[in-house]
């Protein structure tokens, strides 16, 4: 599932493509690789690992994924990986929808490439035999130095997220994100309003801030599973679940109440045409000052706080997810994960790459570029706080801590996650557009999802 995307092409490509060319990257030669400071210190850090980094020198692995903050952050570091290991990396990062549409087709055909890829539909990938089991690689002492890798430094959600029901791991988390509330502080100040904490307060605030120039709130509402993360946070926070005992349960009273509130917010205080909104519409509206409040991925903070991209960089505020009185907020969370192709001819080299990419020293570098990594040490680093913003980092970490990993995994890891999520968001869209009541829409959506589960 894809929740933390900035969606833009990497703006730093011009400065590092020459080095990437040496690493076999699929990019035009546009510029020169910058000289990275403290390279010797980092080399010494990797050398402390009881790993023969050169054991697969001369091999080439292919890396595929979405254009995303992770791909933006890891790409300029690939020449360092090649110098360390002698492994070349070719890259193919595409627009998210293009990538997510094409990858399952390629894997289902038994393609040996890409060797490593960003992935979301875990249940489909595992049941289809597309993903390489990884526990054996972690226990292979010639590949992994667990004391150096230090899994205790991973966020609790990152440690729990990749575990399948049988204890096997088929993926390695590469980013962390949770649904977070963004607020235009100037808009809030004009009405002398406090930051809303409950959903009812959010509705009152959003309606008060709505004007002819600015919507009160913007959130995803497109009739597609990709738009589901904010709405699922509402559902979880009202006490509902998406899947229970292998059944879609979003026709429950809790789920109906959550979707009713979601529909009220967007129909009464949302922008025109909000029924077609995906994450990039939400982000763009907030960046341009066209909405007072937005709820979406915490990883949008780097764009929102960037004056070169955002008109509201100075007045933007970041807050915890709303809650129902008497209940704690339960925002939807996720970790983008990376997997190894079960048909890959370079599996051990691919695993070495993932180990390097998610290690402490590499994570410190990607965090300094504003990436919300999976490591506590990176989240607490000054480089990350400066790039991401201290308030945004605090809000994102709080939302991650409030999230329910099991409820998120129940839907994300389900073999039929895509049709279930599509059915859910078709129902949400019908409520937002005023076509059906929340009860009727969610009853029909759950029936459609359960039909897909039964096959």
């Amino acid at each position: 599932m894809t929740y933390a995307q900035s969606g833009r092409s990497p703006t730093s490509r011009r400065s590092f493509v020459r080095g990437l060319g040496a690493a076999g990257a699929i990019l035009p030669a546009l510029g020169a690789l910058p000289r990275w400071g403290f390279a010797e210190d980092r080399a010494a850090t990797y050398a402390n690992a009881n790993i023969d980094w050169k054991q697969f020198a001369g091999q080439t692995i292919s890396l595929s994924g979405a254009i995303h903050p992770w791909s933006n952050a890891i790409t300029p570091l690939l020449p360092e990986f090649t110098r360390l290991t002698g492994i070349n990396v070719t890259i193919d990062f595409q627009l998210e929808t293009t990538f997510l549409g094409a990858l399952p087709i390629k894997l289902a055909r038994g393609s040996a490439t890409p060797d490593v890829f960003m992935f979301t539909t875990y249940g489909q990938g595992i049941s289809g035999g597309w993903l390489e089991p990884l526990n054996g690689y972690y226990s292979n002492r010639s590949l992994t130095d667990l004391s150096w890798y230090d899994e205790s430094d991973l966020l609790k959600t990152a440690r729990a997220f990749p575990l399948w029901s049988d204890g096997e791991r088929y993926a390695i988390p590469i980013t962390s994100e949770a649904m977070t509330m963004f607020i235009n502080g100037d808009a809030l100040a004009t009405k002398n309003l406090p930051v809303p904490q409950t959903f009812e307060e959010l509705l009152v605030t959003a309606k008060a801030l709505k004007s002819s120039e600015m919507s009160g709130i913007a959130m995803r509402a497109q009739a597609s599973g990709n738009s589901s993360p904010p709405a699922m946070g509402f559902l979880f926070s009202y006490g509902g679940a998406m899947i229970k005992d292998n059944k879609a349960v979003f026709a429950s009273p809790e789920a109906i109440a959550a979707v009713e509130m979601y529909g009220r917010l967007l129909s009464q205080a949302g922008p025109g045409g909000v029924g077609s909104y995906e994450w990039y519409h939400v982000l763009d509206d907030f960046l341009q000052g066209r909405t007072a409040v937005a709820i979406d991925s915490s990883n949008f903070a780097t764009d929102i706080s960037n004056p070169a991209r955002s008109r509201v960089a100075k007045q933007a505020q970041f807050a915890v997810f709303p809650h129902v009185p008497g209940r704690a907020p339960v925002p939807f969370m996720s970790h983008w994960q990376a997997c190894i192709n079960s048909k890959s001819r370079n599996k051990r080299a691919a695993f070495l790459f993932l180990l390097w990419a998610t290690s402490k020293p590499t994570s410190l570098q990607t965090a300094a570029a504003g990436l919300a990594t999976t490591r506590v040490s990176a989240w607490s680093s000054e480089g990350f706080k400066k790039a991401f913003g201290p308030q945004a980092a605090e809000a994102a970490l709080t939302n991650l801590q409030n999230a329910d990993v099991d409820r998120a995994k129940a839907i994300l890891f389900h073999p039929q996650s895509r049709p279930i999520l599509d059915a859910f968001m078709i129902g949400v869209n019908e409520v937002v557009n005023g076509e059906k009541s929340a009860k009727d829409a969610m009853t029909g959506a759950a029936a459609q999802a359960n039909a897909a589960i039964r096959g």
Side-chain angles (χ1 to χ4, degrees):
M1 185 66 52
T2 151
Y3 319 117
Q5 292 75 359
S6 72
R8 63 189 185 277
S9 297
T11 56
S12 54
R13 282 186 177 179
R14 292 181 182 275
S15 65
F16 59 72
V17 166
R18 181 180 301 170
L20 292 179
I26 306 174
L27 289 172
L30 295 176
L33 178 71
R35 294 179 63 186
W36 295 99
F38 308 109
E40 293 82 1
D41 290 343
R42 287 199 299 275
T45 304
Y46 295 116
N48 288 334
N50 188 23
I51 297 171
D52 177 7
W53 291 105
K54 294 288 188 182
Q55 60 187 298
F56 308 115
Q59 291 190 19
T60 297
I61 60 171
S62 54
L63 170 64
S64 184
I67 295 172
H68 172 277
W70 183 77
S71 56
N72 292 356
I74 203 69
T75 301
L77 305 184
L78 294 179
E80 286 196 24
F81 174 72
T82 297
R83 286 193 292 271
L84 176 68
T85 64
I87 300 170
N88 294 310
V89 183
T90 62
I91 61 173
D92 183 14
F93 295 125
Q94 302 171 301
L95 290 175
E96 180 189 320
T97 51
T98 303
F99 168 69
L100 291 177
L103 181 65
I105 297 171
K106 194 169 188 179
L107 295 175
R109 290 174 178 168
S111 174
T113 59
D115 297 290
V116 180
F117 46 84
M118 297 167 66
F119 201 63
T120 59
T121 51
Y122 316 111
Q124 181 188 27
I126 293 168
S127 61
W130 304 342
L131 313 183
E132 179 74 1
L134 300 180
N135 280 1
Y137 295 82
Y138 278 100
S139 61
N140 186 333
R141 292 187 178 181
S142 68
L143 282 174
T144 309
D145 181 346
L146 288 176
S147 62
W148 175 83
Y149 188 67
D150 190 9
E151 289 184 289
S152 67
D153 182 51
L154 296 172
L155 296 168
K156 289 182 180 179
T157 53
R159 294 200 299 271
F161 202 72
L163 292 176
W164 197 242
S165 56
D166 60 0
E168 182 61 79
R169 286 179 281 192
Y170 294 86
I172 297 180
I174 54 176
T175 65
S176 306
E177 58 189 299
M179 293 298 107
T180 294
M181 185 160 57
F182 314 122
I183 301 168
N184 185 317
D186 285 358
L188 206 64
T190 60
K191 299 287 185 178
N192 196 29
L193 291 168
V195 173
Q197 297 184 22
T198 68
F199 291 106
E200 289 290 348
E201 289 172 357
L202 178 59
L203 179 61
V204 171
T205 300
K207 289 170 68 175
L209 296 177
K210 183 176 173 64
S211 68
S212 57
E213 292 81 27
M214 177 183 286
S215 67
I217 188 168
M219 297 184 292
R220 310 186 206 186
Q222 194 177 97
S224 164
N226 198 53
S227 291
S228 60
M232 286 195 288
F234 275 59
L235 187 154
F236 294 164
S237 294
Y238 271 77
M242 292 290 289
I243 296 291
K244 191 173 182 179
D245 299 326
N246 200 34
K247 290 183 180 178
V249 292
F250 40 79
S252 68
E254 295 85 359
I256 290 169
V259 173
E260 182 179 16
M261 174 56 76
Y262 201 82
R264 288 173 67 193
L265 277 162
L266 290 180
S267 62
Q268 296 177 25
V274 70
S276 65
Y277 265 46
E278 240 290 10
W279 63 264
Y280 40 85
H281 301 107
V282 175
L283 176 59
D284 191 55
D285 274 13
F286 194 79
L287 293 177
Q288 301 304 322
R290 292 194 297 262
T291 190
V293 179
I295 293 179
D296 214 293
S297 169
S298 53
N299 280 3
F300 290 169
T302 50
D303 280 335
I304 291 170
S305 301
N306 182 355
R309 294 185 53 79
S310 172
R311 294 183 178 180
V312 297
K314 292 184 178 180
Q315 63 262 40
Q317 298 178 16
F318 304 87
V320 298
F321 200 80
H323 68 273
V324 175
R327 286 182 177 272
V330 188
F332 181 83
M333 60 72 59
S334 182
H335 294 281
W336 259 108
Q337 300 200 100
C339 303
I340 296 175
N341 188 344
S342 63
K343 303 295 192 298
S344 167
R345 300 185 183 93
N346 306 292
K347 294 175 184 176
R348 292 194 297 165
F351 183 81
L352 199 63
F353 167 77
L354 288 178
L355 201 73
W356 167 85
T358 57
S359 66
K360 277 187 179 181
T362 306
S363 295
L364 283 172
Q365 291 184 83
T366 54
L371 183 72
T373 72
T374 59
R375 289 196 168 269
V376 175
S377 57
W379 274 80
S380 60
S381 68
E382 289 305 313
F384 176 68
K385 291 176 182 178
K386 181 178 180 181
F388 202 75
Q391 187 188 59
E394 182 180 357
L397 193 55
T398 299
N399 287 323
L400 277 167
Q401 291 168 335
N402 287 338
D404 186 327
V405 175
D406 291 335
R407 274 189 277 184
K409 286 171 64 173
I411 176 59
L412 292 180
F413 283 33
H414 196 282
Q416 298 299 318
S417 61
R418 178 53 61 182
I420 295 169
L421 289 167
D422 285 344
F424 172 69
M425 279 310 295
I426 288 170
V428 172
N429 179 269
E430 290 171 337
V431 176
V432 170
N433 288 334
E435 298 168 8
K436 291 183 180 179
S437 69
K439 182 176 181 180
D440 288 347
M442 288 298 99
T443 300
Q448 184 180 347
N450 283 318
I453 291 172
R454 291 190 299 269

